[in-house]
Coordinates of all heavy atoms in Angstrom, one line a residue:
M125 N 123.0 99.3 118.0 CA 124.1 99.3 117.2 C 124.9 98.0 117.3 O 125.4 97.7 118.5 CB 124.9 100.5 117.1 CG 126.1 100.5 116.2 SD 126.7 102.3 115.8 CE 127.6 102.5 117.2
A126 N 125.3 97.3 116.3 CA 126.1 96.0 116.4 C 127.5 96.5 116.7 O 128.0 97.4 116.2 CB 126.0 95.2 115.2
E127 N 128.2 95.6 117.5 CA 129.6 95.9 117.8 C 130.4 95.4 116.6 O 130.2 94.5 115.9 CB 130.1 94.9 119.0 CG 131.5 95.2 119.3 CD 131.9 94.3 120.6 OE1 131.0 94.1 121.4 OE2 133.1 94.0 120.7
Q128 N 131.4 96.3 116.3 CA 132.2 96.2 115.1 C 133.6 95.7 115.5 O 134.2 96.4 116.4 CB 132.4 97.5 114.2 CG 133.1 97.2 113.0 CD 132.9 98.5 112.1 OE1 132.3 99.5 112.5 NE2 133.3 98.5 110.9
T129 N 134.2 94.7 114.9 CA 135.5 94.2 115.2 C 136.4 94.7 114.1 O 136.0 95.3 113.1 CB 135.6 92.8 115.3 OG1 135.3 92.2 114.0 CG2 134.5 92.2 116.3
R130 N 137.7 94.6 114.2 CA 138.7 95.0 113.3 C 138.6 94.2 112.0 O 139.0 94.6 111.0 CB 140.1 94.7 113.8 CG 140.4 95.7 115.0 CD 141.8 95.4 115.5 NE 142.9 95.6 114.5 CZ 143.5 96.8 114.3 NH1 143.1 97.8 115.0 NH2 144.4 96.9 113.4
D131 N 137.9 93.1 112.0 CA 137.7 92.2 110.9 C 136.5 92.5 110.0 O 136.2 92.0 108.9 CB 137.7 90.7 111.2 CG 139.0 90.3 111.8 OD1 140.1 90.9 111.5 OD2 138.9 89.3 112.6
D132 N 135.6 93.4 110.5 CA 134.4 93.7 109.9 C 134.6 94.6 108.6 O 135.4 95.4 108.5 CB 133.4 94.5 110.8 CG 132.9 93.6 111.9 OD1 132.9 92.4 111.7 OD2 132.3 94.2 112.8
V133 N 133.7 94.3 107.6 CA 133.8 95.0 106.4 C 133.0 96.4 106.7 O 132.1 96.5 107.5 CB 132.9 94.4 105.3 CG1 132.8 95.2 104.0 CG2 133.5 93.0 104.9
R134 N 133.5 97.5 106.2 CA 132.9 98.8 106.4 C 131.4 98.8 105.8 O 131.3 98.3 104.6 CB 133.7 99.9 105.7 CG 135.0 100.2 106.3 CD 135.6 101.3 105.5 NE 137.0 101.5 106.0 CZ 137.8 102.3 105.5 NH1 137.6 102.9 104.3 NH2 138.9 102.6 106.0
R135 N 130.5 99.1 106.6 CA 129.1 99.0 106.1 C 128.6 100.3 105.5 O 127.8 100.4 104.6 CB 128.2 98.6 107.2 CG 128.5 97.2 107.7 CD 127.6 96.6 108.6 NE 127.7 95.2 108.9 CZ 128.6 94.8 109.8 NH1 129.2 95.6 110.6 NH2 128.7 93.5 110.0
D136 N 129.0 101.4 106.1 CA 128.6 102.8 105.6 C 129.7 103.2 104.6 O 130.6 103.9 104.9 CB 128.5 103.7 106.7 CG 127.9 105.0 106.4 OD1 127.9 105.3 105.1 OD2 127.6 105.8 107.3
V137 N 129.5 103.0 103.3 CA 130.5 103.3 102.2 C 130.6 104.7 102.2 O 131.7 105.2 102.0 CB 130.0 102.5 101.0 CG1 131.0 102.9 99.8 CG2 130.0 101.1 101.1
T138 N 129.5 105.5 102.2 CA 129.6 107.0 102.1 C 130.5 107.6 103.2 O 131.5 108.3 102.9 CB 128.2 107.6 102.1 OG1 127.4 107.0 101.1 CG2 128.3 109.1 101.8
T139 N 130.2 107.2 104.5 CA 131.0 107.8 105.5 C 132.4 107.2 105.4 O 133.4 108.1 105.7 CB 130.4 107.5 106.9 OG1 129.0 108.0 107.0 CG2 131.2 108.0 108.0
A140 N 132.7 106.1 105.1 CA 134.0 105.5 104.9 C 134.8 106.3 103.9 O 135.9 106.6 104.0 CB 133.9 104.0 104.5
G141 N 134.1 106.7 102.8 CA 134.7 107.5 101.7 C 135.1 108.9 102.3 O 136.2 109.3 102.0
F142 N 134.3 109.5 103.1 CA 134.5 110.8 103.6 C 135.7 110.7 104.5 O 136.5 111.6 104.7 CB 133.3 111.4 104.3 CG 132.2 111.8 103.4 CD1 130.9 111.7 103.8 CD2 132.5 112.3 102.1 CE1 129.8 112.1 103.0 CE2 131.5 112.8 101.4 CZ 130.1 112.6 101.8
V143 N 135.7 109.6 105.4 CA 136.9 109.4 106.4 C 138.2 109.3 105.6 O 139.2 109.8 105.9 CB 136.6 108.1 107.2 CG1 137.8 107.8 108.1 CG2 135.4 108.5 108.2
D144 N 138.1 108.5 104.5 CA 139.3 108.4 103.7 C 139.8 109.7 103.1 O 141.0 110.0 103.1 CB 139.1 107.3 102.5 CG 139.0 106.0 102.9 OD1 139.4 105.5 104.0 OD2 138.4 105.2 102.1
E145 N 138.9 110.6 102.6 CA 139.3 111.8 102.1 C 139.8 112.7 103.3 O 140.7 113.4 103.0 CB 138.0 112.5 101.5 CG 137.7 112.0 100.1 CD 138.8 112.1 99.2 OE1 139.5 113.2 99.0 OE2 139.1 111.1 98.5
G146 N 139.2 112.6 104.5 CA 139.7 113.3 105.6 C 141.1 112.9 105.9 O 141.9 113.8 106.3
L147 N 141.4 111.7 105.9 CA 142.8 111.3 106.2 C 143.7 111.7 105.2 O 144.9 112.1 105.5 CB 142.8 109.7 106.1 CG 142.1 109.0 107.4 CD1 142.1 107.5 107.3 CD2 142.8 109.4 108.7
K148 N 143.4 111.8 103.9 CA 144.2 112.4 102.9 C 144.5 113.9 103.2 O 145.7 114.3 103.0 CB 143.6 112.2 101.5 CG 143.7 110.7 101.0 CD 142.9 110.7 99.7 CE 142.6 109.2 99.3 NZ 141.7 109.1 98.0
L149 N 143.4 114.5 103.5 CA 143.6 115.9 103.8 C 144.5 116.1 105.0 O 145.3 117.1 105.1 CB 142.2 116.5 104.2 CG 141.3 116.8 102.9 CD1 140.0 117.2 103.4 CD2 141.9 117.9 102.1
C150 N 144.4 115.3 106.0 CA 145.2 115.3 107.2 C 146.7 115.1 106.8 O 147.6 115.9 107.4 CB 144.8 114.2 108.3 SG 145.6 114.4 109.8
R151 N 147.0 114.2 106.0 CA 148.4 114.0 105.6 C 148.9 115.2 104.9 O 150.1 115.5 104.9 CB 148.5 112.7 104.7 CG 148.3 111.4 105.6 CD 148.5 110.1 104.7 NE 147.9 109.0 105.4 CZ 146.7 108.5 105.0 NH1 146.0 108.9 104.0 NH2 146.4 107.4 105.6
R152 N 148.1 115.8 104.1 CA 148.6 116.9 103.1 C 148.6 118.3 103.9 O 149.4 119.0 103.7 CB 147.7 116.9 102.0 CG 148.2 117.9 101.0 CD 147.7 117.7 99.7 NE 148.4 118.6 98.6 CZ 148.2 118.6 97.4 NH1 147.3 117.7 96.9 NH2 148.8 119.3 96.6
Y153 N 147.5 118.6 104.6 CA 147.3 119.9 105.2 C 147.3 120.0 106.7 O 147.3 121.0 107.3 CB 146.0 120.6 104.7 CG 146.0 120.6 103.1 CD1 145.2 119.8 102.3 CD2 146.8 121.6 102.5 CE1 145.1 119.9 101.0 CE2 146.8 121.6 101.1 CZ 145.9 120.8 100.4 OH 146.0 121.0 99.0
G154 N 147.2 118.8 107.4 CA 147.1 118.8 108.8 C 145.8 118.5 109.4 O 144.8 118.3 108.7
L155 N 145.7 118.3 110.7 CA 144.6 117.8 111.4 C 143.4 118.7 111.4 O 142.2 118.3 111.1 CB 145.0 117.7 112.9 CG 144.0 117.1 113.9 CD1 143.8 115.7 113.5 CD2 144.5 117.4 115.3
H156 N 143.6 120.0 111.6 CA 142.5 121.0 111.7 C 141.6 121.0 110.3 O 140.4 120.9 110.5 CB 142.9 122.3 112.0 CG 141.8 123.2 112.4 ND1 141.4 124.4 111.6 CD2 140.8 123.2 113.5 CE1 140.4 124.9 112.1 NE2 140.1 124.4 113.2
P157 N 142.2 121.2 109.2 CA 141.5 121.2 107.9 C 140.7 119.9 107.8 O 139.6 119.8 107.2 CB 142.5 121.4 106.8 CG 143.6 122.1 107.5 CD 143.7 121.5 108.9
A158 N 141.4 118.8 108.1 CA 140.8 117.4 108.0 C 139.5 117.3 108.9 O 138.5 116.9 108.5 CB 141.8 116.3 108.2
L159 N 139.6 117.8 110.1 CA 138.5 117.7 111.1 C 137.4 118.6 110.5 O 136.2 118.2 110.6 CB 139.0 118.1 112.4 CG 137.9 118.1 113.5 CD1 137.3 116.8 113.6 CD2 138.4 118.6 114.8
L160 N 137.7 119.8 110.1 CA 136.6 120.7 109.5 C 135.9 119.9 108.4 O 134.7 120.0 108.3 CB 137.2 122.0 109.1 CG 137.8 123.0 110.1 CD1 138.4 124.2 109.6 CD2 136.7 123.2 111.2
F161 N 136.7 119.4 107.5 CA 136.1 118.8 106.4 C 135.2 117.6 106.8 O 134.0 117.5 106.4 CB 137.1 118.1 105.4 CG 136.7 117.2 104.5 CD1 135.9 117.6 103.3 CD2 136.7 115.8 104.7 CE1 135.4 116.7 102.4 CE2 136.2 114.9 103.8 CZ 135.6 115.3 102.7
M162 N 135.6 116.8 107.7 CA 134.9 115.6 108.1 C 133.5 116.1 108.9 O 132.5 115.4 108.7 CB 135.6 114.8 109.1 CG 136.8 114.0 108.3 SD 137.9 113.2 109.4 CE 137.6 111.5 109.0
E163 N 133.7 117.2 109.6 CA 132.4 117.6 110.4 C 131.5 118.1 109.3 O 130.2 118.0 109.3 CB 132.8 118.8 111.3 CG 133.5 118.1 112.6 CD 133.8 119.2 113.5 OE1 134.0 120.4 113.1 OE2 133.8 118.9 114.8
E164 N 132.0 118.9 108.3 CA 131.1 119.6 107.3 C 130.3 118.4 106.4 O 129.2 118.7 106.1 CB 132.0 120.3 106.3 CG 131.3 121.2 105.4 CD 132.1 122.1 104.6 OE1 132.8 122.9 105.1 OE2 132.1 122.0 103.3
V165 N 131.0 117.3 106.1 CA 130.3 116.3 105.4 C 129.5 115.3 106.2 O 128.9 114.4 105.7 CB 131.3 115.6 104.4 CG1 131.9 116.4 103.5 CG2 132.4 114.7 105.2
G166 N 129.5 115.5 107.5 CA 128.7 114.7 108.3 C 129.2 113.6 109.1 O 128.5 112.7 109.6
V167 N 130.5 113.4 109.1 CA 131.2 112.3 109.9 C 130.9 112.7 111.3 O 131.3 113.8 111.7 CB 132.7 112.2 109.5 CG1 133.4 111.2 110.4 CG2 132.9 111.8 108.0
P168 N 130.4 111.7 112.2 CA 130.3 112.1 113.5 C 131.5 112.5 114.2 O 132.7 111.9 113.9 CB 129.8 110.8 114.0 CG 129.1 110.1 113.0 CD 130.0 110.4 111.7
R169 N 131.5 113.6 115.0 CA 132.7 114.1 115.6 C 133.5 113.1 116.3 O 134.8 113.1 116.2 CB 132.4 115.3 116.4 CG 133.6 116.1 117.0 CD 133.3 117.2 117.8 NE 134.4 117.9 118.4 CZ 135.1 118.8 117.7 NH1 134.8 119.2 116.5 NH2 136.2 119.4 118.3
P170 N 132.9 112.2 117.1 CA 133.8 111.1 117.8 C 134.4 110.3 116.9 O 135.6 109.9 117.1 CB 132.7 110.5 118.7 CG 131.6 111.3 118.8 CD 131.6 112.1 117.5
V171 N 133.9 110.0 115.8 CA 134.5 109.1 114.8 C 135.7 109.9 114.2 O 136.8 109.3 114.0 CB 133.5 108.6 113.7 CG1 134.2 107.9 112.5 CG2 132.4 107.8 114.3
A172 N 135.4 111.1 113.7 CA 136.4 111.9 113.2 C 137.7 112.0 114.1 O 138.8 111.9 113.6 CB 135.9 113.2 112.7
L173 N 137.4 112.3 115.3 CA 138.5 112.6 116.3 C 139.3 111.3 116.6 O 140.5 111.2 116.6 CB 138.0 113.1 117.6 CG 137.5 114.5 117.5 CD1 136.8 114.9 118.8 CD2 138.7 115.5 117.3
R174 N 138.5 110.1 116.6 CA 139.1 108.9 116.9 C 140.1 108.5 115.7 O 141.2 108.0 115.9 CB 138.1 107.7 117.1 CG 138.8 106.4 117.4 CD 137.7 105.3 117.6 NE 137.0 105.1 116.4 CZ 135.6 105.3 116.4 NH1 134.9 105.6 117.4 NH2 134.9 105.0 115.4
V175 N 139.6 108.7 114.5 CA 140.4 108.3 113.3 C 141.6 109.3 113.2 O 142.7 108.9 113.0 CB 139.5 108.4 112.0 CG1 140.4 108.3 110.8 CG2 138.4 107.3 112.1
L176 N 141.4 110.6 113.4 CA 142.5 111.5 113.0 C 143.5 111.5 114.2 O 144.7 111.8 114.0 CB 141.9 112.9 112.9 CG 141.0 113.2 111.7 CD1 140.4 114.5 111.7 CD2 141.9 113.0 110.4
C177 N 143.1 111.1 115.4 CA 143.9 111.2 116.6 C 144.6 109.9 116.9 O 145.5 109.8 117.8 CB 143.3 111.8 117.7 SG 142.7 113.5 117.6
S178 N 144.3 108.9 116.1 CA 144.8 107.5 116.4 C 145.4 106.9 115.1 O 144.8 106.0 114.6 CB 143.7 106.6 116.9 OG 143.2 107.2 118.1
P179 N 146.5 107.4 114.6 CA 147.0 106.9 113.3 C 147.4 105.4 113.4 O 147.4 104.8 112.4 CB 148.2 107.7 113.1 CG 148.6 108.4 114.3 CD 147.3 108.5 115.1
D180 N 147.6 104.9 114.6 CA 147.9 103.5 114.8 C 146.8 102.6 114.3 O 146.9 101.4 114.0 CB 148.3 103.1 116.1 CG 149.7 103.7 116.6 OD1 150.4 104.1 115.7 OD2 149.9 103.8 117.8
H181 N 145.5 103.2 114.4 CA 144.4 102.4 114.1 C 143.8 102.8 112.6 O 142.8 102.3 112.3 CB 143.3 102.8 115.0 CG 143.6 102.4 116.4 ND1 143.8 101.1 116.9 CD2 143.9 103.2 117.5 CE1 144.1 101.2 118.1 NE2 144.2 102.4 118.5
F182 N 144.6 103.5 111.8 CA 144.1 103.7 110.4 C 144.0 102.4 109.7 O 144.9 101.4 109.9 CB 145.2 104.5 109.7 CG 145.2 105.9 110.0 CD1 144.5 106.4 110.9 CD2 146.1 106.7 109.3 CE1 144.5 107.9 111.3 CE2 146.2 108.2 109.5 CZ 145.4 108.7 110.6
R183 N 143.0 102.2 108.9 CA 142.9 100.9 108.1 C 144.1 101.0 107.1 O 144.3 101.9 106.4 CB 141.5 100.9 107.4 CG 140.5 100.7 108.4 CD 139.1 100.7 107.7 NE 138.0 100.8 108.6 CZ 137.3 99.7 109.0 NH1 137.7 98.5 108.4 NH2 136.4 99.8 109.7
Q184 N 144.7 99.8 107.0 CA 145.9 99.7 106.1 C 145.6 99.4 104.7 O 146.3 99.6 103.8 CB 146.9 98.6 106.7 CG 147.4 98.9 108.0 CD 148.1 100.3 108.1 OE1 149.0 100.6 107.2 NE2 147.7 101.2 109.0
R185 N 144.3 98.9 104.5 CA 143.8 98.6 103.1 C 142.4 98.6 103.1 O 141.7 98.7 104.0 CB 144.3 97.2 102.7 CG 143.8 96.1 103.4 CD 144.4 94.8 103.0 NE 143.9 93.6 103.8 CZ 142.9 92.9 103.6 NH1 142.1 93.2 102.5 NH2 142.4 92.0 104.4
D186 N 141.8 98.7 101.9 CA 140.4 98.9 101.7 C 139.7 97.6 101.9 O 139.9 96.6 101.2 CB 140.1 99.4 100.4 CG 138.6 99.8 100.1 OD1 137.9 99.6 101.1 OD2 138.4 100.3 99.0
R187 N 138.9 97.5 103.0 CA 138.1 96.3 103.2 C 136.6 96.5 102.9 O 135.7 95.8 103.5 CB 138.3 95.8 104.6 CG 139.8 95.4 104.9 CD 139.9 95.0 106.2 NE 139.7 96.1 107.2 CZ 139.6 96.0 108.5 NH1 139.9 94.8 109.0 NH2 139.5 96.9 109.3
R188 N 136.2 97.5 102.3 CA 134.8 97.8 102.1 C 134.1 96.8 101.2 O 132.9 96.5 101.3 CB 134.7 99.2 101.5 CG 134.8 100.2 102.4 CD 134.7 101.6 101.8 NE 136.0 102.0 101.5 CZ 136.2 103.2 100.8 NH1 135.3 103.8 100.4 NH2 137.4 103.5 100.6
R189 N 134.8 96.2 100.3 CA 134.0 95.2 99.5 C 134.2 93.7 99.8 O 133.3 93.0 99.6 CB 134.6 95.3 98.1 CG 134.3 96.7 97.4 CD 134.7 96.7 95.9 NE 134.4 98.0 95.3 CZ 135.0 99.1 95.5 NH1 136.1 99.1 96.1 NH2 134.6 100.2 94.9
T190 N 135.3 93.4 100.5 CA 135.5 92.0 100.9 C 135.9 91.8 102.4 O 136.8 92.7 102.8 CB 136.5 91.3 100.0 OG1 137.7 91.9 100.1 CG2 136.0 91.2 98.6
P191 N 135.4 90.9 103.1 CA 135.8 90.8 104.4 C 137.2 90.2 104.4 O 137.7 89.5 103.5 CB 134.8 89.8 105.1 CG 134.2 89.2 103.9 CD 134.3 90.1 102.8
R192 N 138.0 90.4 105.6 CA 139.2 89.8 105.8 C 139.1 88.3 105.9 O 138.2 87.8 106.4 CB 139.9 90.3 107.0 CG 140.2 91.7 107.0 CD 140.8 92.2 108.3 NE 142.3 91.9 108.3 CZ 143.1 92.1 109.2 NH1 142.7 92.8 110.3 NH2 144.3 91.8 109.1
S193 N 140.1 87.6 105.4 CA 140.1 86.1 105.5 C 140.5 85.7 106.9 O 141.1 86.4 107.7 CB 141.2 85.6 104.5 OG 142.5 85.8 104.9
P194 N 140.0 84.6 107.3 CA 140.3 84.1 108.7 C 141.8 84.0 109.0 O 142.2 84.3 110.1 CB 139.6 82.8 108.8 CG 138.6 82.7 107.7 CD 139.1 83.7 106.6
L195 N 142.6 83.9 108.0 CA 144.0 83.8 108.3 C 144.6 85.1 108.8 O 145.6 85.1 109.6 CB 144.7 83.4 107.0 CG 144.3 82.0 106.4 CD1 145.1 81.8 105.1 CD2 144.8 80.9 107.4
H196 N 144.0 86.2 108.4 CA 144.5 87.5 108.7 C 144.2 87.9 110.2 O 144.7 88.8 110.7 CB 144.1 88.6 107.8 CG 144.8 88.5 106.5 ND1 144.2 87.9 105.4 CD2 146.0 89.0 106.1 CE1 145.1 87.9 104.4 NE2 146.2 88.6 104.8
S197 N 143.1 87.2 110.7 CA 142.7 87.6 112.1 C 143.5 86.9 113.2 O 143.2 87.1 114.3 CB 141.1 87.3 112.2 OG 141.0 86.0 112.0
C198 N 144.4 86.0 112.8 CA 145.2 85.3 113.8 C 146.1 86.3 114.4 O 146.9 87.0 113.7 CB 145.8 84.1 113.3 SG 144.7 82.9 112.7
V199 N 146.5 86.2 115.7 CA 147.5 86.9 116.4 C 148.6 86.0 116.6 O 148.6 84.9 117.2 CB 146.9 87.5 117.7 CG1 148.0 88.2 118.3 CG2 145.8 88.3 117.4
A200 N 149.8 86.6 116.2 CA 151.1 85.7 116.3 C 151.5 85.7 117.8 O 151.3 86.6 118.5 CB 152.1 86.1 115.5

């Protein structure tokens, strides 16, 4: 499996959509219902836990269709 960086475009669109739905459920109903949903639709448990338990790492915008520009990857 190739290493993924923060600048990579999401490659698995289906799983990415399920993760997005899980995050919406988490905001509305809480962690447990979101985790149950993600497990039920096939999101790997380590991925679901990492996403749900690390809100600082939530993607801030949809990057599934276009990669980030090089200007956004610079650290100030």
